[in-house]
């Protein structure tokens, strides 16, 4: 247990010198009393709210609930804004800024008089960004999820954010709906503040935070607009004060067993392929060895049990009513490491006790999975020597073993321009390929991997094709999309050598992605290859391009990986 006299914040406030006098004086300038910061645990509430982050529109109110919990427990809360990565608005991609947010969180906590932190986020990259920064700083930290938005319905059918946008867009291209209906749909699917309500990246990553032990049990399944949500936020505030006293740091929670638990949950949820990159990056910050092979191994052991879009047909609100993540994890007890300690200070085993699913269609038993195909397969071959990933549960079963002619695009703009061309040389067996969309090339590895289908094929009723890229794919999307090809094309990965007309073979059961081009010809192409020009000559993007690791290593910045300690700031 940490005594009040050992609090880190006392370095700022406790001394009898001119500098500590100034620190206390500035607190009193804000109307605080001397005793408010003397001997009370100081909690940073790191808030990724912004006016351009619709999924976090309620987080200012939730910060107030967290403050209430902190104060009731005898702590002193301070709200600190951090970069808000609203997934849909931030360009070219929030992934470019995940590491930026992680750096900001780490340095906010290091540079200020803070004893522990509650992390408010949920929209896609905010969750791993917040956690990565908190892991690297190493203070007690607890993740408070934004929660999913409410269900919506359109023409009597359940519709969810992201997944249905793609479904209706394809229908518009195919003539299945008209322009007036398309405009009407703008006001549907996003019914309230909160994160996407499908099992997209947001719901996947918040669930992973809980499975890792970094969020309160059941917290990540609560809808953002449920009255349980502000109560949960107050619980977070109350609990972090106790965690500070217990010195319960991320390093005590984030073991290899905790990461394997998170991997099991990712598979059982049919979670986003983006989670692969984020789990490996977080493990890298915690100094825990974790590879694509570990995740593939887990995918072979754990079937998809959560009947949620895009692998199933329900939404997060339904998942909450069915018992939420604790009920799902209870069904996975045999593959989980139940002795792992969580933010509660208790082992996982204790917090799953009695958490039964109330709906066997939404949270399936192991005997009746949503899909016989797993949530993830890691592929290797001469197109991705370091690995690529696919989500078989959201792919067309007929394409899981496929051989087709490549149609290669060098840029998103080139591909978009071609998709409406009625003369495009393409059929349903073609393998659509996009390159220069990886961590360095795009830059930031945007969610372009769900390549659009050619309009003329959509009009003929085609709704899926094999697609291959070094990009990522939105967790809300679906289709037979091979993603994260590593090493990426922009740094000379083999995708750079593929040409239109080459035959590509995809064999998911054999975990293989291969181009039928012999080694001598590949050597000739490599000798003639030159890297694409880089458009960024300054600033954060240049830093990112110089230091980002490849997808199979988590796309962290190389100088932020690992557990090397940074000294506490000198206080003069
Ligand atoms: Fe924020 Fe999907 S856009 S969670």
């Amino acid at each position: 247990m940490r005594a009040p006299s050992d609090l880190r914040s006392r370095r700022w406030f406790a001394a009898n010198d001119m500098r500590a006098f100034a620190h206390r004086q500035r607190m009193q300038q804000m109307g605080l009393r001397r005793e408010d910061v003397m001997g009370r645990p100081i909690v940073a509430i790191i808030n990724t709210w912004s006016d351009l982050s619709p999924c976090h529109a309620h987080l200012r109110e939730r910060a107030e609930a967290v403050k209430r919990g902190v104060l009731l427990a005898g702590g002193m809360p301070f709200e600190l804004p951090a970069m808000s990565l609203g997934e849909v608005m931030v360009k070219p991609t929030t992934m470019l800024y995940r590491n930026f947010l992680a750096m900001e969180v780490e340095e906010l906590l290091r540079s200020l008089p803070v004893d522990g932190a509650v992390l408010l986020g949920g929209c896609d990259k905010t969750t791993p960004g917040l956690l990565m920064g908190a892991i690297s700083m190493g203070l007690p930290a607890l993740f408070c999820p934004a929660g999913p938005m409410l269900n919506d319905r359109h023409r009597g059918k359940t519709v969810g954010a992201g997944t249905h946008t793609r479904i209706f867009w394809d229908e518009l291209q195919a003539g299945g709906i008209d322009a007036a209906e398309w405009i009407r749909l703008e006001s549907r699917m996003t019914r309230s503040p909160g994160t996407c309500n499908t099992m997209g990246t947001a719901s996947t990553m918040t669930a992973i935070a809980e499975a890792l032990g970094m969020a309160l049990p059941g917290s990540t399944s609560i809808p953002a607009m449920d009255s349980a949500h502000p109560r949960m936020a107050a619980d977070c505030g109350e609990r972090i004060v106790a965690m500070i006293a217990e010195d319960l740091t991320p390093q005590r929670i984030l073991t290899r067993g905790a990461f394997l638990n998170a991997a099991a949950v990712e598979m059982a949820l049919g979670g986003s392929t983006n989670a692969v990159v984020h789990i490996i990056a977080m493990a890298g910050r915690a100094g825990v060895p974790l590879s694509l092979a570990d995740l593939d191994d887990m995918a072979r052991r754990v079937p998809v049990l959560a009947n949620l879009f895009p692998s199933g047909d329900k939404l997060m609100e339904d998942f909450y009513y069915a018992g939420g993540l604790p009920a799902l994890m209870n069904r996975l007890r045999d593959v989980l490491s139940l002795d792992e300690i969580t933010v509660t200070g208790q082992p996982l085993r204790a917090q799953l006790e009695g958490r039964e699913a109330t709906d066997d269609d939404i949270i399936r038993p192991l005997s009746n999975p949503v899909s016989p195909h797993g949530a993830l397969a890691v592929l290797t071959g001469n197109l991705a020597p370091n690995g690529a990933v696919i989500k078989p549960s959201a792919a067309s079963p007929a394409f899981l073993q496929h051989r087709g002619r490549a149609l290669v695009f060098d840029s998103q703009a080139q591909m978009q321009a071609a998709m409406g061309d009625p003369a495009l040389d393409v059929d349903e067996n073609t393998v659509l390929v996009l390159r220069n969309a990886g961590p360095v090339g795009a830059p930031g590895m945007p969610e372009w991997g769900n390549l659009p289908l050619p309009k003329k094929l959509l009009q003929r009723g085609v709704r899926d094709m094999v697609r291959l890229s070094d990009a990522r794919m939105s967790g809300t999307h679906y289709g037979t999309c091979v993603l994260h090809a590593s090493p990426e094309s922009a740094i000379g990965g083999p995708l750079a050598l593929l040409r239109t007309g080459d035959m590509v073979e995809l064999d998911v059961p054999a975990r293989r992605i291969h181009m039928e081009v012999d080694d001598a010809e590949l050597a000739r192409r490599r000798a003639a290859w030159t890297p694409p020009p880089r458009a960024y000559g300054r600033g954060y993007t240049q830093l990112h391009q110089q230091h980002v690791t490849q997808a199979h290593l988590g796309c962290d910045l190389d100088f932020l990986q690992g557990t090397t300690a940074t000294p506490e700031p000198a206080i003069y």
Side-chain angles (χ1 to χ4, degrees):
M1 295 293 282
R2 181 185 285 271
S5 56
D6 292 339
L7 289 171
R8 176 178 181 268
S9 57
R10 286 182 65 83
R11 297 185 65 230
W12 274 257
F13 295 119
N16 185 20
D17 61 18
M18 190 188 76
R19 186 49 58 199
F21 168 89
H23 296 153
R24 294 190 297 267
Q25 182 186 49
R26 294 299 171 164
M27 292 295 98
Q28 298 209 34
Q29 182 183 7
M30 295 197 300
L32 298 178
R33 303 167 305 172
R34 191 171 196 266
E35 57 268 33
D36 292 345
V37 292
M38 293 282 282
R40 289 175 188 265
I42 293 187
V43 175
I45 302 169
I46 302 213
N47 196 348
T48 52
W49 168 89
S50 97
D51 267 339
L52 280 174
S53 207
C55 306
H56 293 181
H58 56 308
L59 289 191
R60 280 175 129 178
E61 293 162 31
R62 293 301 177 271
E64 294 304 316
V66 176
K67 285 179 189 173
R68 176 159 44 91
V70 171
L71 290 166
L72 285 170
M76 187 66 209
F78 290 92
E79 187 177 351
L80 307 176
M83 187 179 197
S84 185
L85 300 177
E87 182 64 27
V88 174
M89 294 295 172
V90 173
K91 306 298 177 190
T93 165
T94 52
M95 185 62 188
L96 180 63
Y97 297 108
R98 181 199 67 181
N99 300 334
F100 188 100
L101 173 61
M103 285 174 75
E104 185 185 12
V105 170
E106 180 181 348
E107 302 306 332
L108 271 174
L109 296 176
R110 179 172 294 119
S111 60
L112 291 167
V114 168
D115 298 305
V118 174
L119 314 168
L120 262 66
C123 187
D124 287 29
K125 316 307 177 288
T126 58
T127 302
L130 288 162
L131 287 172
M132 287 162 69
I135 293 167
S136 291
M137 183 53 203
L139 296 176
L142 193 159
F143 178 71
C144 178
M149 65 180 81
L150 298 175
N151 285 3
D152 203 353
R153 293 182 74 76
H154 179 68
R155 295 190 184 279
K157 288 196 171 145
T158 299
V159 286
T163 303
H164 284 85
T165 303
R166 169 61 77 182
I167 290 171
F168 287 124
W169 173 251
D170 284 349
E171 286 307 314
L172 179 71
Q173 301 305 300
I177 62 171
D178 61 20
E181 176 145 17
W182 175 245
I183 288 172
R184 273 199 300 277
L185 283 163
E186 275 183 11
S187 64
R188 311 316 301 252
M189 297 176 252
T190 49
R191 186 171 149 229
S192 76
T195 50
C196 288
N197 50 7
T198 51
M199 188 40 69
T201 304
S203 296
T204 304
M205 290 312 304
T206 56
I208 281 175
E210 184 176 328
L212 283 169
M214 293 296 293
L216 293 175
S219 60
T220 62
S221 308
I222 303 171
M225 292 294 107
D226 195 294
S227 60
H229 198 269
R231 294 198 297 270
M232 176 274 295
D235 285 344
C236 289
E238 195 167 49
R239 179 61 199 150
I240 189 65
V241 176
M243 286 176 68
I244 293 167
E246 296 161 15
D247 199 23
L248 186 51
T249 60
Q251 282 66 27
R252 290 177 55 197
I253 294 170
L254 296 174
T255 62
R256 180 168 158 83
F259 278 100
L260 292 177
N261 285 349
V265 162
E266 146 79 355
M267 305 313 159
L269 288 172
S272 164
T273 46
N274 287 327
V276 171
V277 176
H278 302 318
I279 291 180
I280 290 175
M282 290 189 290
R285 295 294 186 105
V288 170
L290 193 78
S291 69
L292 283 180
D294 291 319
L295 301 180
D296 188 69
D297 178 58
M298 193 59 79
R300 292 175 193 263
R301 294 166 58 200
V302 177
V304 179
L305 299 183
N307 181 13
L308 299 169
F309 283 108
S311 296
D313 62 8
K314 300 287 190 300
L315 294 170
M316 285 300 291
E317 200 180 332
D318 308 307
F319 185 62
Y320 175 60
Y321 300 140
L325 191 66
L328 180 102
M329 291 181 74
N330 211 5
R331 295 221 146 137
L332 292 175
R333 288 177 82 96
D334 289 349
V335 291
L336 296 178
S337 174
L338 297 171
D339 293 329
E340 304 302 329
I341 299 295
T342 79
V343 287
T344 62
Q346 300 295 315
L348 180 61
R349 178 189 316 281
Q351 62 196 47
L352 296 185
E353 216 54 63
R355 304 298 291 261
E356 305 297 338
T358 58
D359 188 322
D360 282 352
D361 178 47
I362 297 170
I363 300 177
R364 301 280 182 90
L366 285 160
S367 56
N368 181 30
V370 174
S371 164
H373 311 290
L376 181 80
V378 176
L379 314 171
T380 55
N382 69 354
L383 273 166
N386 292 334
V389 303
I390 187 170
K391 185 173 183 174
S393 61
S396 300
F399 281 140
L400 295 179
Q401 287 176 296
H402 180 77
R403 184 172 173 273
R405 175 181 161 275
L407 175 57
V408 182
F409 298 100
D410 284 319
S411 71
Q412 170 82 343
Q414 182 193 34
M415 178 187 67
Q416 292 286 0
M419 285 300 138
D421 181 357
L424 188 67
D425 184 13
V426 66
D427 64 30
E428 52 269 52
N429 292 315
T430 302
V431 176
L432 300 175
V433 179
L434 175 66
R435 62 185 167 209
N436 300 321
V440 174
M445 204 181 174
E447 292 182 336
W448 295 343
N450 182 237
L451 278 62
L453 303 184
K455 188 171 182 176
K456 69 177 186 180
L457 296 184
L458 284 168
Q459 288 170 338
R460 280 182 16 210
V462 173
R463 290 293 182 272
D464 193 14
M465 294 172 68
V466 175
R467 288 159 271 181
L468 165 64
S469 72
D470 43 18
R472 295 175 302 113
M473 176 172 84
S474 166
T476 62
H477 286 172
Y478 55 91
T480 313
C481 302
V482 179
L483 310 156
H484 308 191
S486 177
E488 66 174 299
S489 55
I491 63 166
L495 203 59
L497 310 180
L498 187 67
R499 291 181 181 169
T500 292
D502 292 340
M503 295 303 291
V504 170
E505 183 198 356
L506 168 66
D507 188 340
V508 175
R511 300 298 201 253
R512 178 176 152 90
I513 184 73
H514 179 77
M515 59 177 153
E516 297 175 1
V517 182
D518 64 44
D519 291 345
E521 173 59 14
L522 286 177
R524 276 192 291 278
R525 293 183 190 182
R526 179 163 300 287
W529 180 78
T530 54
R534 294 186 186 177
Y536 298 89
R538 68 183 297 275
Y540 174 74
T541 308
Q542 186 188 49
L543 183 78
H544 170 93
Q545 287 189 311
Q546 289 171 344
H547 292 281
V548 70
T549 62
Q550 289 292 291
H552 69 288
L553 299 174
C555 299
D556 202 354
L557 301 184
D558 52 14
F559 58 85
L560 294 174
Q561 293 175 307
T563 56
T564 311
T566 302
E568 283 281 357
I571 297 186
Y572 295 114

